[in-house]
Amino acid sequence: MKKLLIATISALLAVGAFADDLTTKSGRVFKNFAIMGAAPNGILIFHDKGKTVVPVKEFPDEYQEKIAKYVKEIPAKRREAAKQKALQAQKAKQAAAEKKKLDAAKKARMKKYLAEEAARKKKEQDAIKAANAKTAAKSSEGFGDDMFKKNN
């Protein structure tokens, strides 16, 4: 944070220190402003309360010569901003595609797990039924008609 503050102050001093106040055509006042360069939508200035981009048409006529070189840079800044926006959109699209791919893989793993779990439970239930049937068969041995006939 200190480095940013020092860099900002150094930049302001390099541009001509704190200049006078800027009153735009719409009436906004920026105290102790300094022109820092072109931005995609106007001229970047620093002032007492921070930084702001002021549209070219808002600068008073007496500043037109001072901002002329920055006005020439605005189209390049717009192209650069458009490239950055397109790059961000492309990255967002790639991230969305990757997320979709990961979600599909996750869904497939979950589906496989649930199928395996269902098969395991069915196998377990079949084993329990077989064991119950075997136990029932063993426990009913000797209680057939032959047993009653022998004892009677």
Side-chain angles (χ1 to χ4, degrees):
M1 187 67 180
K2 285 183 181 181
K3 289 181 181 180
L4 179 64
L5 181 61
I6 291 171
T8 303
I9 291 171
S10 298
L12 290 173
L13 292 173
V15 170
F18 288 102
D20 52 357
D21 298 343
L22 170 68
T23 303
T24 64
K25 289 181 179 180
S26 64
R28 291 179 62 194
V29 177
F30 299 100
K31 300 280 187 186
N32 297 321
F33 86 101
I35 298 172
M36 297 309 297
N41 54 348
I43 307 296
L44 175 65
I45 65 166
F46 282 121
H47 53 92
D48 282 352
K49 294 184 179 179
K51 63 182 180 176
T52 304
V53 175
V54 178
V56 174
K57 64 183 180 186
E58 287 292 315
F59 272 89
D61 294 335
E62 66 259 22
Y63 287 100
Q64 293 305 314
E65 281 186 37
K66 289 182 181 180
I67 65 169
K69 68 179 182 179
Y70 301 112
V71 172
K72 292 177 185 176
E73 297 173 13
I74 291 174
K77 294 289 184 176
R78 283 186 182 145
R79 285 190 298 274
E80 184 180 321
K83 284 181 185 177
Q84 287 297 323
K85 187 176 180 178
L87 183 61
Q88 287 175 345
Q90 183 182 13
K91 285 181 180 181
K93 187 177 179 181
Q94 288 173 342
E98 185 65 26
K99 183 179 182 327
K100 187 176 180 181
K101 183 179 175 182
L102 290 173
D103 287 347
K106 183 179 177 181
K107 188 176 180 180
R109 284 192 310 271
M110 182 58 79
K111 187 176 181 180
K112 181 181 176 185
Y113 169 78
L114 291 174
E116 288 172 350
E117 189 66 15
R120 185 190 63 77
K121 284 184 179 182
K122 182 170 179 4
K123 186 177 179 181
E124 188 177 278
Q125 289 172 350
D126 290 347
I128 291 170
K129 285 179 183 177
N132 287 342
K134 190 174 182 180
T135 304
K138 279 188 177 182
S139 65
S140 65
E141 281 182 14
F143 290 108
D145 291 337
D146 294 340
M147 175 123 181
F148 287 112
K149 290 179 183 175
K150 289 180 186 176
N151 290 335
N152 287 336

